[in-house]
Amino acid sequence: ASRDSHQVHRVEPYHEDNAMKVVQHASLPAKRKHGLGWTLGMNVGGSAVPASSGIKNSNDATPLPPHNPNIGGSDLDASPSIDSIPKNKETRGVNVPDRHYSKRMQGSNHKTWSFGVTLNKQLNDRWSFETGLVYTLLTSDVYPYSVSVPQKLHYLGIPLKMNFTMLQRKGWQLYAGTGTMVERCLYGTRGEAKLKINALQFSLSANAGIQYRLSQHTGLYLEPGIRYYFDDGTDVCSFRTEHPLSFTLQAGFRISY
């Protein structure tokens, strides 16, 4: 009997202590498990304008007629052939001396294509900040003379954007974003002539986005939107100077951790 009472005496405090620990533990708020809130993304995209905007296809552009030096008292020679384009001439983006390289040159500007790597930081359940690097290629067929000359401009930009999550359910996420981007032309050519553009290209954007989560850390997304390009003050014609407001579409892959 004494052994049984001794066992009861030892067990009762043990259960009371455990009960107190359970009550204390239950009173504490549950801790949510979060990652670091960083997301790495890769995307491809492009820009276009509505069909009614008058953008020319490569087969629709009309070349400039040969220049007549007797009209208007100009002392310029008649427009030379493509073989007479300077091989090593460097054309700067400001104060272009040759009228054949002016911004008003006729031609066709093709749709732009871009490739980007983005880094997104989740600020809270709704807002996130995004930046990264975006490479863009602008191609055109211009007519400084009586024949077509291909033009290529290579840009590298840094986007700065805020995203707002509107709906998130069953692996789907609907969001909207707005921001700006600063770009610099790394290299440009027109025919065999080099184009040097020192001015920065600024733009504003607004977009919607939808993402489907493939797993806990990966997802696919699609972002339609609009972007407005400010005049960079140069004399180089491109898709952006002819159509500063354009539609954009991006598709990509995201990895969160």
Side-chain angles (χ1 to χ4, degrees), residues 22-217:
V22 170
V23 173
Q24 292 176 355
H25 183 268
S27 63
L28 296 175
K31 294 183 179 180
R32 297 179 60 186
K33 294 183 179 180
H34 288 287
L36 298 178
W38 292 96
T39 301
L40 180 67
M42 293 173 286
N43 63 70
V44 293
S47 300
V49 294
S52 60
S53 65
I55 185 173
K56 297 180 180 180
N57 296 320
S58 58
N59 296 327
D60 297 333
T62 303
L64 289 173
H67 176 67
N68 188 346
N70 297 322
I71 298 178
S74 174
D75 57 355
L76 292 174
D77 295 333
S79 297
S81 65
I82 187 66
D83 296 331
S84 63
I85 297 177
K87 299 298 183 182
N88 299 316
K89 180 174 181 178
E90 184 179 86
T91 305
R92 300 184 179 274
V94 182
N95 298 326
V96 178
D98 192 339
R99 76 170 184 89
H100 298 297
Y101 289 86
S102 69
K103 183 176 178 179
R104 297 180 180 179
M105 182 188 307
Q106 293 185 3
S108 61
N109 298 299
H110 304 291
K111 297 177 179 63
T112 66
W113 294 98
S114 64
F115 172 78
V117 177
T118 60
L119 187 63
N120 184 294
K121 172 60 177 177
Q122 195 72 31
L123 303 179
N124 53 42
D125 291 339
R126 293 284 185 178
W127 290 97
S128 65
F129 173 75
E130 183 175 297
T131 186
L133 290 174
V134 178
Y135 164 79
T136 302
L137 173 63
L138 303 177
T139 59
S140 307
D141 291 319
V142 296
Y143 293 85
Y145 307 104
S146 58
V147 293
S148 171
V149 177
Q151 174 180 283
K152 293 183 179 181
L153 304 175
H154 303 264
Y155 279 85
L156 186 65
I158 300 178
L160 302 171
K161 190 171 72 168
M162 294 293 296
N163 293 321
F164 178 77
T165 300
M166 298 181 291
L167 180 64
Q168 192 166 359
R169 184 177 300 174
K170 295 182 179 180
W172 290 94
Q173 180 184 3
L174 183 65
Y175 60 94
T178 183
T180 184
M181 184 161 63
V182 183
E183 295 175 273
R184 178 69 182 267
C185 183
L186 301 179
Y187 186 74
T189 59
R190 183 180 291 146
E192 295 186 15
K194 295 181 181 180
L195 297 175
K196 186 175 182 180
I197 303 176
N198 294 321
L200 296 177
Q201 174 73 73
F202 293 90
S203 63
L204 295 176
S205 67
N207 67 272
I210 185 170
Q211 175 174 302
Y212 178 70
R213 189 171 59 190
L214 299 175
S215 66
Q216 183 178 359
H217 299 287

